[in-house]
PDB file of all heavy atoms in Angstrom:
ATOM      1  N   PHE R1336      32.616 -47.037  42.387  1.00 91.00           N
ATOM      2  CA  PHE R1336      31.677 -47.820  41.666  1.00 91.00           C
ATOM      3  C   PHE R1336      32.138 -48.208  40.268  1.00 91.00           C
ATOM      4  O   PHE R1336      31.622 -49.042  39.662  1.00 91.00           O
ATOM      5  CB  PHE R1336      30.296 -47.014  41.591  1.00 91.00           C
ATOM      6  CG  PHE R1336      29.612 -46.901  42.916  1.00 91.00           C
ATOM      7  CD1 PHE R1336      28.520 -45.971  43.098  1.00 91.00           C
ATOM      8  CD2 PHE R1336      29.873 -47.756  44.073  1.00 91.00           C
ATOM      9  CE1 PHE R1336      27.947 -45.941  44.233  1.00 91.00           C
ATOM     10  CE2 PHE R1336      29.408 -47.488  45.427  1.00 91.00           C
ATOM     11  CZ  PHE R1336      28.177 -46.623  45.385  1.00 91.00           C
ATOM     12  N   LEU R1337      33.008 -47.373  39.733  1.00 92.00           N
ATOM     13  CA  LEU R1337      33.540 -47.507  38.454  1.00 92.00           C
ATOM     14  C   LEU R1337      35.111 -47.597  38.525  1.00 92.00           C
ATOM     15  O   LEU R1337      35.611 -46.926  39.423  1.00 92.00           O
ATOM     16  CB  LEU R1337      33.204 -46.475  37.368  1.00 92.00           C
ATOM     17  CG  LEU R1337      31.740 -46.207  36.968  1.00 92.00           C
ATOM     18  CD1 LEU R1337      31.529 -45.107  36.093  1.00 92.00           C
ATOM     19  CD2 LEU R1337      31.140 -47.527  36.287  1.00 92.00           C
ATOM     20  N   GLU R1338      35.714 -48.335  37.540  1.00 91.00           N
ATOM     21  CA  GLU R1338      37.187 -48.268  37.577  1.00 91.00           C
ATOM     22  C   GLU R1338      37.712 -48.290  36.006  1.00 91.00           C
ATOM     23  O   GLU R1338      36.808 -48.722  35.095  1.00 91.00           O
ATOM     24  CB  GLU R1338      37.854 -49.486  38.202  1.00 91.00           C
ATOM     25  CG  GLU R1338      37.431 -50.886  37.562  1.00 91.00           C
ATOM     26  CD  GLU R1338      38.033 -51.927  38.356  1.00 91.00           C
ATOM     27  OE1 GLU R1338      38.555 -51.874  39.406  1.00 91.00           O
ATOM     28  OE2 GLU R1338      37.870 -53.178  37.778  1.00 91.00           O
ATOM     29  N   SER R1339      38.760 -47.815  35.782  1.00 88.00           N
ATOM     30  CA  SER R1339      39.340 -47.623  34.338  1.00 88.00           C
ATOM     31  C   SER R1339      39.496 -49.079  33.821  1.00 88.00           C
ATOM     32  O   SER R1339      39.895 -49.997  34.573  1.00 88.00           O
ATOM     33  CB  SER R1339      40.555 -46.894  34.398  1.00 88.00           C
ATOM     34  OG  SER R1339      41.065 -46.777  33.063  1.00 88.00           O
ATOM     35  N   ASN R1340      39.179 -49.148  32.528  1.00 86.00           N
ATOM     36  CA  ASN R1340      39.497 -50.530  31.982  1.00 86.00           C
ATOM     37  C   ASN R1340      40.911 -50.559  31.271  1.00 86.00           C
ATOM     38  O   ASN R1340      41.128 -51.530  30.467  1.00 86.00           O
ATOM     39  CB  ASN R1340      38.435 -50.846  30.952  1.00 86.00           C
ATOM     40  CG  ASN R1340      38.428 -49.916  29.719  1.00 86.00           C
ATOM     41  OD1 ASN R1340      39.041 -48.914  29.721  1.00 86.00           O
ATOM     42  ND2 ASN R1340      37.652 -50.255  28.813  1.00 86.00           N
ATOM     43  N   GLY R1341      41.642 -49.594  31.523  1.00 83.00           N
ATOM     44  CA  GLY R1341      42.999 -49.552  31.030  1.00 83.00           C
ATOM     45  C   GLY R1341      43.186 -48.688  29.716  1.00 83.00           C
ATOM     46  O   GLY R1341      44.296 -48.303  29.348  1.00 83.00           O
ATOM     47  N   SER R1342      41.991 -48.417  29.101  1.00 80.00           N
ATOM     48  CA  SER R1342      42.051 -47.468  27.939  1.00 80.00           C
ATOM     49  C   SER R1342      41.438 -46.196  28.347  1.00 80.00           C
ATOM     50  O   SER R1342      41.366 -45.835  29.555  1.00 80.00           O
ATOM     51  CB  SER R1342      41.471 -48.163  26.705  1.00 80.00           C
ATOM     52  OG  SER R1342      40.186 -48.559  27.034  1.00 80.00           O
ATOM     53  N   ASP R1343      40.453 -45.652  27.572  1.00 78.00           N
ATOM     54  CA  ASP R1343      39.835 -44.559  27.788  1.00 78.00           C
ATOM     55  C   ASP R1343      38.375 -44.770  28.622  1.00 78.00           C
ATOM     56  O   ASP R1343      37.738 -43.866  28.961  1.00 78.00           O
ATOM     57  CB  ASP R1343      39.440 -43.666  26.589  1.00 78.00           C
ATOM     58  CG  ASP R1343      40.781 -43.106  25.956  1.00 78.00           C
ATOM     59  OD1 ASP R1343      41.674 -43.036  26.709  1.00 78.00           O
ATOM     60  OD2 ASP R1343      40.702 -42.798  24.833  1.00 78.00           O
ATOM     61  N   GLY R1344      38.056 -45.988  28.703  1.00 86.00           N
ATOM     62  CA  GLY R1344      36.648 -46.351  29.261  1.00 86.00           C
ATOM     63  C   GLY R1344      36.672 -46.661  30.637  1.00 86.00           C
ATOM     64  O   GLY R1344      37.737 -46.893  31.339  1.00 86.00           O
ATOM     65  N   TYR R1345      35.475 -46.903  31.278  1.00 89.00           N
ATOM     66  CA  TYR R1345      35.288 -47.313  32.642  1.00 89.00           C
ATOM     67  C   TYR R1345      34.321 -48.424  32.716  1.00 89.00           C
ATOM     68  O   TYR R1345      33.344 -48.505  31.968  1.00 89.00           O
ATOM     69  CB  TYR R1345      34.881 -46.053  33.441  1.00 89.00           C
ATOM     70  CG  TYR R1345      35.802 -44.987  33.540  1.00 89.00           C
ATOM     71  CD1 TYR R1345      35.911 -43.998  32.646  1.00 89.00           C
ATOM     72  CD2 TYR R1345      36.743 -44.920  34.607  1.00 89.00           C
ATOM     73  CE1 TYR R1345      36.880 -43.067  32.708  1.00 89.00           C
ATOM     74  CE2 TYR R1345      37.709 -44.009  34.787  1.00 89.00           C
ATOM     75  CZ  TYR R1345      37.789 -43.016  33.778  1.00 89.00           C
ATOM     76  OH  TYR R1345      38.663 -42.072  33.859  1.00 89.00           O
ATOM     77  N   VAL R1346      34.542 -49.388  33.608  1.00 90.00           N
ATOM     78  CA  VAL R1346      33.645 -50.523  33.830  1.00 90.00           C
ATOM     79  C   VAL R1346      33.220 -50.546  35.288  1.00 90.00           C
ATOM     80  O   VAL R1346      33.893 -49.905  36.119  1.00 90.00           O
ATOM     81  CB  VAL R1346      34.340 -51.897  33.417  1.00 90.00           C
ATOM     82  CG1 VAL R1346      34.637 -51.902  31.974  1.00 90.00           C
ATOM     83  CG2 VAL R1346      35.616 -51.996  34.257  1.00 90.00           C
ATOM     84  N   ILE R1347      32.111 -51.267  35.578  1.00 90.00           N
ATOM     85  CA  ILE R1347      31.577 -51.323  36.844  1.00 90.00           C
ATOM     86  C   ILE R1347      32.424 -52.201  37.814  1.00 90.00           C
ATOM     87  O   ILE R1347      32.973 -53.170  37.357  1.00 90.00           O
ATOM     88  CB  ILE R1347      30.148 -51.709  36.823  1.00 90.00           C
ATOM     89  CG1 ILE R1347      29.327 -51.517  38.216  1.00 90.00           C
ATOM     90  CG2 ILE R1347      29.983 -53.163  36.400  1.00 90.00           C
ATOM     91  CD1 ILE R1347      27.907 -51.566  38.098  1.00 90.00           C
ATOM     92  N   THR R1348      32.467 -51.825  39.037  1.00 91.00           N
ATOM     93  CA  THR R1348      33.153 -52.701  40.036  1.00 91.00           C
ATOM     94  C   THR R1348      31.982 -53.527  40.813  1.00 91.00           C
ATOM     95  O   THR R1348      30.851 -53.217  40.723  1.00 91.00           O
ATOM     96  CB  THR R1348      33.995 -51.794  40.953  1.00 91.00           C
ATOM     97  OG1 THR R1348      33.038 -50.985  41.728  1.00 91.00           O
ATOM     98  CG2 THR R1348      35.089 -51.075  40.254  1.00 91.00           C
ATOM     99  N   GLN R1349      32.501 -54.493  41.739  1.00 90.00           N
ATOM    100  CA  GLN R1349      31.560 -55.047  42.651  1.00 90.00           C
ATOM    101  C   GLN R1349      30.871 -54.164  43.565  1.00 90.00           C
ATOM    102  O   GLN R1349      29.726 -54.241  43.829  1.00 90.00           O
ATOM    103  CB  GLN R1349      32.305 -56.271  43.403  1.00 90.00           C
ATOM    104  CG  GLN R1349      31.309 -57.070  44.231  1.00 90.00           C
ATOM    105  CD  GLN R1349      30.271 -57.675  43.361  1.00 90.00           C
ATOM    106  OE1 GLN R1349      30.535 -58.287  42.235  1.00 90.00           O
ATOM    107  NE2 GLN R1349      29.002 -57.796  43.790  1.00 90.00           N
ATOM    108  N   ALA R1350      31.617 -53.038  43.977  1.00 89.00           N
ATOM    109  CA  ALA R1350      31.044 -52.105  44.909  1.00 89.00           C
ATOM    110  C   ALA R1350      29.922 -51.343  44.082  1.00 89.00           C
ATOM    111  O   ALA R1350      29.008 -50.937  44.687  1.00 89.00           O
ATOM    112  CB  ALA R1350      32.046 -51.147  45.402  1.00 89.00           C
ATOM    113  N   GLY R1351      30.101 -51.153  42.852  1.00 88.00           N
ATOM    114  CA  GLY R1351      29.161 -50.492  42.074  1.00 88.00           C
ATOM    115  C   GLY R1351      27.868 -51.346  41.859  1.00 88.00           C
ATOM    116  O   GLY R1351      26.747 -50.789  41.908  1.00 88.00           O
ATOM    117  N   ARG R1352      28.140 -52.658  41.702  1.00 87.00           N
ATOM    118  CA  ARG R1352      26.949 -53.492  41.585  1.00 87.00           C
ATOM    119  C   ARG R1352      26.212 -53.589  42.900  1.00 87.00           C
ATOM    120  O   ARG R1352      24.937 -53.499  42.825  1.00 87.00           O
ATOM    121  CB  ARG R1352      27.343 -54.936  41.189  1.00 87.00           C
ATOM    122  CG  ARG R1352      27.822 -55.083  39.880  1.00 87.00           C
ATOM    123  CD  ARG R1352      28.217 -56.561  39.576  1.00 87.00           C
ATOM    124  NE  ARG R1352      29.118 -56.698  38.468  1.00 87.00           N
ATOM    125  CZ  ARG R1352      28.771 -56.624  37.145  1.00 87.00           C
ATOM    126  NH1 ARG R1352      27.382 -56.384  36.955  1.00 87.00           N
ATOM    127  NH2 ARG R1352      29.557 -56.719  36.091  1.00 87.00           N
ATOM    128  N   ASP R1353      26.849 -53.696  43.943  1.00 87.00           N
ATOM    129  CA  ASP R1353      26.243 -53.491  45.281  1.00 87.00           C
ATOM    130  C   ASP R1353      25.495 -52.231  45.561  1.00 87.00           C
ATOM    131  O   ASP R1353      24.469 -52.222  46.053  1.00 87.00           O
ATOM    132  CB  ASP R1353      27.235 -53.725  46.369  1.00 87.00           C
ATOM    133  CG  ASP R1353      27.908 -55.168  46.435  1.00 87.00           C
ATOM    134  OD1 ASP R1353      27.243 -56.140  45.743  1.00 87.00           O
ATOM    135  OD2 ASP R1353      28.907 -55.282  46.984  1.00 87.00           O
ATOM    136  N   GLY R1354      26.171 -51.041  45.106  1.00 85.00           N
ATOM    137  CA  GLY R1354      25.619 -49.765  45.316  1.00 85.00           C
ATOM    138  C   GLY R1354      24.312 -49.568  44.469  1.00 85.00           C
ATOM    139  O   GLY R1354      23.342 -49.105  45.008  1.00 85.00           O
TER     140      GLY R1354
END
Side-chain angles (χ1 to χ4, degrees):
F1336 292 167
L1337 294 178
E1338 66 183 3
S1339 177
N1340 67 351
S1342 62
D1343 293 337
Y1345 293 88
V1346 293
I1347 194 166
T1348 63
Q1349 186 58 43
R1352 292 183 195 283
D1353 294 340

